[in-house]
Amino acid sequence: MRAAPQALHWLGQIQTADRTLHAETALLLARAYRESGDPDRAAAALEEARQLGLRADLEAALQGQGDLGSVIAEAREEEARLELATALLERGEPDDLTEALELIRTHGYLPLLSSRAAGTLVGMARDAETRALFPLRVQALGPLRVQHAGRTLQLADFPTRKSAALLMALALAQRPQNREALAERFWPGAKNPVASLQTALYHLRSVFGTPWSGPNVGRSRCSFRCTATSTSCAERSAGRTPRAWPSC
């Protein structure tokens, strides 16, 4: 998730004679610059945060200046679970991901699931409880925006406009949808509408990197496994909380 320019601006304005507070601010700046794609400023800010020990070492490793293995060993020794989960998630080996997901679930480190590295965990979401950790947020106000596991997708990121429309239909439905009815709805003139539906589902799986469609795909019904939240013009203007549909 990229840092907002306003956040960078205000962090840069903080002036203090307290060395610890100055180091904490510098570490926040280093993270913000890294996430904004400015490695030079991120490295410069990090130098002013070195006194923070493990957390500065972790940031250095995330910037490519240090060894994640050493950070993981240090985090285990200090029982620093948040830093451990972050480093494991970034290194991304199979055992690392399993342990990171367990730490996130046990200790409530849910903000980590909004990081870019969280996309590697999506394929492990095999049960309803785990899938609920990766909600799909659909912004229907203005241009289409879909947020999922630290990624923000726009219409151009989908293989076809119909695959994006199919996603909306499945994600925002309150119940499983009839497979043949969906196929006829989206491909009314196709020689084999069901085959076109199956192709679109395959494309969507490749976009999200997870078997997000329901277990009945290929039989009689299709459903969406992730929790989906929609923001529409009507809801925004009325000041209502966006609706959320549980997985089917």
Side-chain angles (χ1 to χ4, degrees):
M1 183 179 295
R2 292 184 179 272
Q6 298 92 330
L8 286 170
H9 171 75
W10 288 113
L11 281 172
Q13 298 302 306
I14 296 176
Q15 301 293 329
T16 177
D18 186 308
R19 294 183 59 190
T20 300
L21 180 57
H22 177 78
E24 294 283 358
T25 303
L27 183 60
L28 288 173
L29 272 171
R31 292 173 179 169
Y33 281 128
R34 169 173 52 84
E35 293 173 354
S36 298
D38 193 337
D40 293 337
R41 289 185 176 180
L46 178 60
E47 289 305 311
E48 299 183 36
R50 289 292 185 177
Q51 74 178 69
L52 297 178
L54 173 59
R55 288 186 293 145
D57 293 341
L58 172 59
E59 178 59 29
L62 295 176
Q63 291 185 21
Q65 301 181 36
D67 176 52
L68 279 169
S70 298
V71 172
I72 289 170
E74 186 180 355
R76 291 192 193 282
E77 183 176 350
E78 296 186 16
E79 297 185 355
R81 297 183 182 89
L82 176 58
E83 287 74 18
L84 176 59
T86 303
L88 290 168
L89 187 58
E90 184 68 23
R91 191 166 70 173
E93 296 178 1
D95 289 344
D96 294 339
L97 297 178
T98 300
E99 185 177 359
L101 183 58
E102 185 59 30
L103 285 167
I104 290 168
R105 293 174 63 170
T106 301
H107 300 286
Y109 301 145
L110 298 183
L112 290 180
L113 299 180
S114 297
S115 69
R116 295 190 184 105
T120 57
L121 292 176
V122 174
M124 303 173 64
R126 302 292 179 178
D127 58 86
E129 182 180 359
T130 304
R131 287 194 297 269
L133 298 175
F134 301 93
L136 183 102
R137 296 180 174 87
V138 179
Q139 178 180 302
L141 179 63
L144 175 66
R145 285 167 57 89
V146 178
Q147 294 178 317
H148 183 252
R151 300 170 61 200
T152 298
L153 305 173
Q154 300 179 355
L155 185 59
D157 296 311
F158 291 88
T160 65
R161 296 177 67 90
K162 279 192 177 181
S163 63
L166 177 62
L167 170 71
M168 294 283 289
L170 285 174
L172 305 184
Q174 299 185 54
R175 59 185 62 85
Q177 302 294 292
N178 181 274
R179 182 172 63 95
E180 292 185 357
L182 272 177
E184 290 293 342
R185 174 181 171 188
F186 284 95
W187 293 274
K191 181 179 296 186
N192 190 338
V194 173
S196 297
L197 172 63
Q198 291 296 96
T199 299
L201 291 172
Y202 171 81
H203 287 159
L204 287 176
R205 290 190 192 99
S206 68
V207 169
F208 289 97
T210 181
W212 54 267
S213 50
N216 291 325
V217 169
R219 298 174 186 172
S220 62
R221 293 184 178 276
C222 299
S223 61
F224 193 77
R225 284 181 166 178
C226 297
T227 299
T229 302
S230 169
T231 303
S232 69
C233 295
E235 288 164 339
R236 181 72 61 86
S237 62
R240 295 198 297 269
T241 302
R243 295 171 292 174
W245 287 272
S247 56
C248 300

